[in-house]
Amino acid sequence: MNEIVRNALIIHVFAGVFGMISYYTVCMGFLKKMPHFRFLAWESAFGLASFIISWIFGGYYYIFYYGGIVKPFILADERSFAHTIFMEAKEHIFLFIPILSAVVLLMILLGKEEIAKNKDMRYGVASIAGLIVFLSVVLALSGMLISGAAR
Amino acid sequence: MDIKTTLIIVHIIGTVLGVGGATFAEIFFLKAIKDGHIEPLEADYLKTTYKVLRIGMILLVLSGFGFLLFYRLTGRTELLYSEKLWAKLTIVGLILINAILFELRKIPAWLGSAVSLTSWYAALILGIVRGGSLSYAKIMYTYIIAVLIVAVILEVVKKSMHVKL
C-alpha cells in the first residue's frame, strides 16, 4: 500500500467517524425540548462535509487499491462473505448517507420555525439523524469485517 | 512518541473521563434528588459531568477507530475478528443507545443508570483484560448479570440515602 492510498484510507475512516459523531450530536440535540438550532446547523453541515470527504477518499481507495489488490484475495479466501455481502451492501448504503445528511441540514435551515413549534417534527429530524448514525455504524462495522478478511 | 503510544494514551484518557464521568454523574444525581428536587447549582454540576462524559466518549470512539485502522495498516487484521473486541463495541453501542432512550424517557431510570455505569466499567475492564479465551456470548452474559447486580446495588444505595423519588 503506497502513501497516497494509506492516507486515503485514514481520511476515509476518520471523516466517516467525525460524520457519525456529528449526527449523533444532532440526533440528541433534537430530542431536547429547546434545540440549539445554530449549533445543530453547524454540526449538521460539518457532518455532511465529513461524509462527502469520506465518500471521495473511500472511492479513491476502492478504485486504486481495494478493487484490484484486496478484493481478489478476499474472494479467494474462506471469508469471501466480507466482500460478497458486506462490501456489496456498503457500496450501496454509502450512497444514501450524504443525501440523508443534506436532507437534515436543509430541514434545519429551512424549517427552523416549524420544527421549534412542533414536537413531532423535532422527533422526525432526530429520527433521520438517528438513521444516519445507525447506517454509518453498520458501514463502520462492515468496514471492520472487510479489513479483517484482508489477510 | 509513536502512533500506538499516542492511541493508547488518548484511549486511556477517554476511558478515565468516561468511567469517572459516569460514576460522578450517578453520585451527583443521587445527592441531588435526595430532597426530591434538583437545585439549579446541582443541575449545573450534573450538566458539567455529562459534558465530561461526552468528551470521554468522543476520545474513546476516535482512538478506538484509530486502533482498528492501526491493525489494518500494520497487517494485524486477525484482531478485527476478536470476540472480545466485538463485545466491547456492542457495549459502547449500548452506552449510546441508552443515552438516547434516557433522553426520550423510554427506559426506567433504575435500568438506564445501571446500564450506563456497568457499560463504562465493562469497557474499562475489557480494555485491561488480556488473553483471547473470552467468547462474545460469555462476555455479554456476564455483562447482563453485572447490569442487574449494579441495578440492585443502586436501589439499595437509594434506599439507604432515603431518596424521595
Side-chain angles (χ1 to χ4, degrees):
Chain A
M1 196 186 294
N2 67 38
E3 203 65 26
I4 299 171
V5 172
R6 193 185 164 94
N7 289 337
L9 182 61
I10 293 171
I11 294 169
H12 165 65
V13 171
F14 277 109
V17 174
F18 279 124
M20 193 161 70
I21 293 171
S22 295
Y23 275 93
Y24 183 77
T25 311
V26 172
C27 175
M28 292 298 280
F30 277 104
L31 294 180
K32 294 190 191 311
K33 278 182 192 150
M34 305 272 276
H36 193 313
F37 279 92
R38 202 178 145 83
F39 168 73
L40 293 173
W42 276 109
E43 195 70 48
S44 182
F46 178 75
L48 172 63
S50 300
F51 283 134
I52 291 171
I53 291 169
S54 182
W55 213 10
I56 293 166
F57 284 91
Y60 181 90
Y61 173 76
Y62 191 106
I63 293 166
F64 293 102
Y65 188 75
Y66 178 85
I69 298 169
V70 183
K71 185 176 150 185
F73 274 104
I74 295 178
L75 288 176
D77 192 77
E78 59 183 9
R79 288 177 181 166
S80 59
F81 66 86
H83 180 85
T84 54
I85 298 173
F86 291 101
M87 183 53 103
E88 289 293 342
K90 199 175 184 227
E91 283 169 30
H92 296 91
I93 298 170
F94 198 32
L95 299 172
F96 285 110
I97 293 182
I99 293 160
L100 283 174
S101 310
V103 169
V104 171
L105 178 60
L106 286 174
M107 282 174 89
I108 298 171
L109 294 175
L110 304 174
K112 191 177 153 186
E113 273 87 40
E114 277 115 300
I115 297 169
K117 279 185 278 179
N118 192 330
K119 186 186 167 192
D120 289 339
M121 272 193 81
R122 214 159 30 83
Y123 280 12
V125 181
S127 303
I128 302 174
L131 177 66
I132 295 168
V133 177
F134 172 73
L135 291 176
S136 31
V137 168
V138 169
L139 293 188
L141 297 180
S142 301
M144 264 180 73
L145 286 171
I146 297 158
S147 291
R151 292 179 291 180
Chain B
M1 203 181 336
D2 62 353
I3 289 173
K4 197 181 174 191
T5 312
T6 311
L7 285 172
I8 291 171
I9 290 171
V10 176
H11 208 62
I12 289 173
I13 292 172
T15 313
V16 167
L17 291 180
V19 172
T23 309
F24 277 94
E26 203 49 50
I27 293 169
F28 288 153
F29 181 69
L30 286 174
K31 281 181 86 76
I33 58 163
K34 203 180 168 188
D35 55 1
H37 65 279
I38 299 174
E39 304 286 340
L41 184 65
E42 292 168 334
D44 197 44
Y45 281 150
L46 277 170
K47 228 172 139 179
T48 309
T49 315
Y50 290 132
K51 214 169 261 177
V52 171
L53 221 155
R54 276 197 287 271
I55 293 168
M57 176 54 90
I58 291 171
L59 292 178
L60 189 76
V61 169
L62 285 175
S63 55
F65 275 97
F67 272 117
L68 303 178
L69 204 49
F70 180 76
Y71 294 146
R72 170 72 184 95
L73 295 173
T74 53
R76 294 162 69 197
T77 51
E78 73 285 351
L79 291 168
L80 299 176
Y81 275 70
S82 149
E83 294 196 37
K84 195 181 86 176
L85 174 68
W86 281 85
K88 196 175 170 186
L89 286 171
T90 308
I91 290 167
V92 171
L94 286 173
I95 295 175
L96 299 174
I97 294 168
N98 185 50
I100 293 177
L101 294 175
F102 217 80
E103 194 70 44
L104 285 169
R105 312 234 188 300
K106 295 280 183 203
I107 188 167
W110 65 269
L111 183 60
S113 296
V115 169
S116 169
L117 208 54
T118 315
S119 303
W120 273 106
Y121 278 91
L124 169 75
I125 293 164
L126 286 172
I128 295 168
V129 171
R130 290 283 168 261
S133 60
L134 295 166
S135 72
Y136 180 86
K138 202 186 271 181
I139 295 168
M140 293 315 293
Y141 177 72
T142 313
Y143 166 77
I144 292 167
I145 304 272
V147 169
L148 296 174
I149 292 170
V150 170
V152 172
I153 292 170
L154 286 175
E155 281 308 304
V156 171
V157 171
K158 260 184 217 168
K159 286 222 168 79
S160 70
M161 286 174 73
H162 307 290
V163 172
K164 293 176 190 167
L165 200 78

